[in-house]
Amino acid sequence: MIRMIAHRLLVGVFVMWGAASLIFLIVRAAPGDPATVLLGPDADRSQIDSLHASLGLDRPLGAQYLSYLGDVSRLDFGESHRLGRPAMDAVLDRLPATVDLTLTATVIAVVVGLTLGLLAGGRPGGAVDRVVSACTIALQSFPTFWIGIMLVLVFALGLRVLPSSGSGTPEHLVLPAVTLSFPFIAIIARLTRTSLAETMREGYVQTARAKGLTDRQVLLGHALRNSLIPVVTVVGVQVGALVGGAVIVENVFAWPGLGSLVVDAVANRDYAVVQGATLLVAGIVVVLNLVADLLIAQLDPRIRTGAV
C-alpha cells in the first residue's frame, strides 16, 4: 500500500510538471499582448516596452519558463496585472463557489447514476434496462450548455420556480448543479450497468443464488461490492473533470466561481491567473485520483495484499 501511494505521488509530481509546462506554452502561444490589453490601443511603444520589462515578457521564452518553474516550486504563482493582487489569492477566493457546485453535481450524479445502473444491471435486457440505456445515451449526446439553456427556459422562464442566474441561496445552485451532473449521471449509470451485468454472471453469484438467497441479497451482499471498483475509478477521474467543465456551466448561469474568473483572465491575457487556476485544477485531479486508488484498494483486497 505504501509503495502504491509513493508511486502515485511520484506520478502526480510529473503530472503537475506537465500541466505547468503545457499551460505556460499555451497562454504564450495565444494571440494578443497583455501589455496592449492592459494599457489600451492608444499606448505608445515605449509604454508597452516598459510594461513588458516589468512583467518579465522581454526576456527569452526559455528564461521565462525557468523562472516560472522556480516560482511555482516555491508556490509563488505571480501577480495578476489586471486585478493588482496575487493570482492564487484571486483563484482561491472563487474556489469555494466552484467546489460547492462540483460537489453538489457529484452527489446528484452518484445517487441518480448508481440507482439507474443498479435498476438496469439487475435485469439486463429488460424494459428498465432499455429505458435507462436510451436516457443515458440522450444525456451524453446533448451539449452541456444546451442542457443548461433548456433548463433555464423551462424552470426559470416557463414555470418560474427557480432563478436563472446568480448565487446566494440554495435555489440558485439547483439548475447549474443539475446541468453539470447530467453527463456524469449517464457515465456512472452506463458503467454501473455494464459492470453489474458482468458480475451477475460470475460463479460466486450463481452459487449465492443456488443457496436460496433472494435477488436483493445477491445484488447488495455479493455483486455490488465488486461492481463498484470501476465506478469508483471513473468517479475519481470525472470529479476532477467536473471542476474544469464547470467553466462553461458557470458562465451560462453567471455562477461566481472559477469559470468566470478564467474566462475574464483569458480575455485580458492575465497569464498568472490562468496558470494558477489550471495548476489548482490539476492538483485537485491528482489528489482525487489518489483518493480513488485508496478506495479501490479497500474494495479489492488483491490490491491491498499486492496480489495484483
Side-chain angles (χ1 to χ4, degrees):
M1 177 71 76
I2 295 177
R3 181 179 298 177
M4 182 194 74
I5 294 175
H7 178 262
R8 295 296 190 274
L9 290 175
L10 182 61
V11 171
V13 171
F14 280 100
V15 169
M16 294 299 295
W17 169 75
S21 302
L22 186 61
I23 193 60
F24 173 86
L25 295 174
I26 288 176
V27 296
R28 282 159 180 77
D33 181 7
T36 303
V37 172
L38 189 62
L39 296 174
D42 298 328
D44 57 37
R45 188 71 252 173
S46 62
Q47 291 175 312
I48 293 176
D49 290 341
S50 176
L51 186 55
H52 278 166
S54 65
L55 296 176
L57 298 177
D58 58 333
R59 295 180 296 168
L61 188 62
Q64 293 183 46
Y65 175 68
L66 293 177
S67 176
Y68 163 67
L69 287 184
D71 291 340
V72 169
S73 66
R74 297 190 299 272
L75 301 181
D76 180 4
F77 299 94
E79 295 280 330
S80 168
H81 62 258
R82 180 175 61 92
L83 302 175
R85 57 186 301 206
M88 189 53 70
D89 287 354
V91 172
L92 292 177
D93 283 348
R94 296 290 191 96
L95 181 62
T98 297
V99 169
D100 288 344
L101 176 59
T102 303
L103 288 181
T104 304
T106 301
V107 171
I108 295 172
V110 170
V111 172
V112 177
L114 281 178
T115 302
L116 293 177
L118 290 174
L119 291 174
R123 294 184 180 276
V128 174
D129 184 21
R130 291 194 294 270
V131 171
V132 170
S133 296
C135 291
T136 54
I137 291 174
L139 288 179
Q140 286 186 293
S141 301
F142 297 131
T144 304
F145 71 87
W146 183 87
I147 294 174
I149 292 172
M150 292 300 104
L151 291 178
V152 168
L153 291 176
V154 173
F155 293 100
L157 301 180
L159 300 178
R160 298 183 181 276
V161 294
L162 291 170
S164 62
S165 62
S167 63
T169 67
E171 288 78 12
H172 287 91
L173 184 59
V174 174
L175 289 183
V178 171
T179 301
L180 190 60
S181 70
F182 270 9
F184 198 11
I185 288 173
I187 293 172
I188 294 177
R190 291 175 67 85
L191 185 59
T192 303
R193 183 265 176 203
T194 301
S195 179
L196 185 60
E198 292 176 355
T199 303
M200 295 295 282
R201 292 194 293 267
E202 295 290 339
Y204 67 89
V205 174
Q206 302 303 322
T207 302
R209 282 176 168 167
K211 290 180 179 180
L213 297 180
T214 64
D215 288 344
R216 180 184 178 87
Q217 290 173 322
V218 171
L219 178 64
L220 299 180
H222 296 271
L224 182 59
R225 182 185 180 95
N226 287 334
S227 301
L228 287 179
I229 293 175
V231 178
V232 171
T233 303
V234 170
V235 169
V237 174
Q238 287 296 318
V239 170
L242 284 182
V243 178
V247 171
I248 297 175
V249 174
E250 288 178 358
N251 278 276
V252 170
F253 293 96
W255 185 259
L258 287 176
S260 57
L261 178 68
V262 170
V263 169
D264 289 342
V266 170
N268 290 279
R269 307 298 184 269
D270 197 342
Y271 293 164
V273 171
V274 177
Q275 292 168 172
T278 303
L279 289 176
L280 180 63
V281 172
I284 291 173
V285 172
V286 169
V287 171
L288 290 175
N289 275 276
L290 177 59
V291 172
D293 288 338
L294 295 176
L295 289 176
I296 292 170
Q298 294 301 314
L299 291 171
D300 191 342
R302 296 174 299 172
I303 298 177
R304 280 201 310 274
T305 59
V308 295

